[in-house]
């Protein structure tokens, strides 16, 4: 039980450091893969995904207690690799399209206000993109947390 908690914490910590340092398993295999620039919003989404995926690690309970230390460490490394690959895949497939949509909406609203000759309001909306991105990240993180709680209540 104690090793599982330490494993969860180490997976979340290493996954966060890998995200902040742009160390991607996909980037090692395919150099033309989409690289996400780490910022506060993407880090919030990455940490919430890491927390959700470590909750569903496959081997727990009596089977994990029978493993010796070298088997546990090997299992932890395999789970770390799998979970970080899944997080990078989900960030590229879910978070990036949301950012593209947010950029499109901000550009559309800004262009509309510029056509109406409200230049200061258009510049304000254009500068507020980073705040909108942070709010979107918090909404996504809250959604992941709510979905995780919902799935744990269903599985009981």
């Amino acid at each position: 039980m104690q090793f599982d908690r330490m494993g969860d914490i180490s997976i979340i910590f290493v996954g966060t450091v890998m995200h902040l340092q742009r160390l991607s398993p996909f980037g090692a295999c395919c150099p033309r893969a989409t690289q996400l620039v780490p910022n506060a919003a993407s880090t919030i989404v990455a940490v919430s995904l890491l927390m959700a995926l470590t909750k569903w690690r496959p081997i727990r309970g009596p089977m994990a207690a029978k493993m010796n230390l070298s088997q546990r460490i090997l299992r932890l490394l395999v789970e770390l690799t799998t979970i970080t690959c899944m997080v990078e895949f989900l960030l590229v497939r879910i978070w990036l399209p949301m950012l593209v949509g947010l950029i499109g909406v901000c550009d559309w609203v800004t262009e509309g206000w510029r056509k109406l000759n409200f230049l200061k309001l258009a510049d304000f909306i254009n500068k507020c993109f980073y705040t909108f991105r942070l709010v979107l990240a918090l909404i996504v993180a809250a959604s992941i947390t709510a979905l995780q709680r919902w799935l744990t209540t269903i599985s009981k």
Side-chain angles (χ1 to χ4, degrees), residues 12-86:
I12 292 169
F13 177 74
V14 170
T16 305
V17 169
M18 286 179 70
H19 173 71
L20 290 173
Q21 294 295 322
R22 294 186 189 179
L23 299 173
S24 171
F26 292 133
C29 298
C30 180
R32 295 183 337 188
T34 304
Q35 290 290 323
L36 184 66
V37 177
N39 52 37
S42 67
T43 305
I44 289 171
V45 174
V47 168
S48 64
L49 284 171
L50 283 166
M51 290 171 62
L53 291 174
T54 53
K55 187 92 169 175
W56 298 98
R57 288 172 57 199
I59 303 173
R60 291 189 186 259
M63 186 170 182
K66 294 178 183 176
M67 293 180 169
N68 59 18
L69 185 62
S70 61
Q71 291 172 334
R72 288 182 183 181
I73 291 173
L74 179 64
R75 181 194 68 169
L76 184 66
L77 290 174
V78 169
E79 288 176 348
L80 175 68
T81 306
T82 306
I83 288 174
T84 53
C85 284
M86 288 175 65

Side-chain angles (χ1 to χ4, degrees), residues 13-156:
F13 177 74
V14 170
T16 305
V17 169
M18 286 179 70
H19 173 71
L20 290 173
Q21 294 295 322
R22 294 186 189 179
L23 299 173
S24 171
F26 292 133
C29 298
C30 180
R32 295 183 337 188
T34 304
Q35 290 290 323
L36 184 66
V37 177
N39 52 37
S42 67
T43 305
I44 289 171
V45 174
V47 168
S48 64
L49 284 171
L50 283 166
M51 290 171 62
L53 291 174
T54 53
K55 187 92 169 175
W56 298 98
R57 288 172 57 199
I59 303 173
R60 291 189 186 259
M63 186 170 182
K66 294 178 183 176
M67 293 180 169
N68 59 18
L69 185 62
S70 61
Q71 291 172 334
R72 288 182 183 181
I73 291 173
L74 179 64
R75 181 194 68 169
L76 184 66
L77 290 174
V78 169
E79 288 176 348
L80 175 68
T81 306
T82 306
I83 288 174
T84 53
C85 284
M86 288 175 65
V87 166
E88 287 297 319
F89 178 76
L90 291 172
L91 282 173
V92 169
R93 293 294 178 197
I94 294 173
W95 181 241
L96 279 182
M98 285 182 167
L99 287 180
V100 169
L102 183 64
I103 290 170
V105 167
C106 285
D107 287 345
W108 179 70
V109 170
T110 302
E111 191 64 32
W113 285 114
R114 285 200 177 146
K115 284 181 182 176
L116 294 173
N117 209 13
F118 290 110
L119 297 177
K120 288 187 179 182
L121 186 60
D123 289 338
F124 175 73
I125 290 173
N126 203 14
K127 290 177 183 175
C128 285
F129 166 75
Y130 300 107
T131 306
F132 295 150
R133 182 177 63 184
L134 184 65
V135 169
L136 180 65
L138 292 173
I139 290 170
V140 168
S143 303
I144 291 170
T145 305
L147 181 66
Q148 181 181 1
R149 287 184 187 157
W150 182 67
L151 288 173
T152 52
T153 56
I154 286 177
S155 65
K156 288 183 180 179

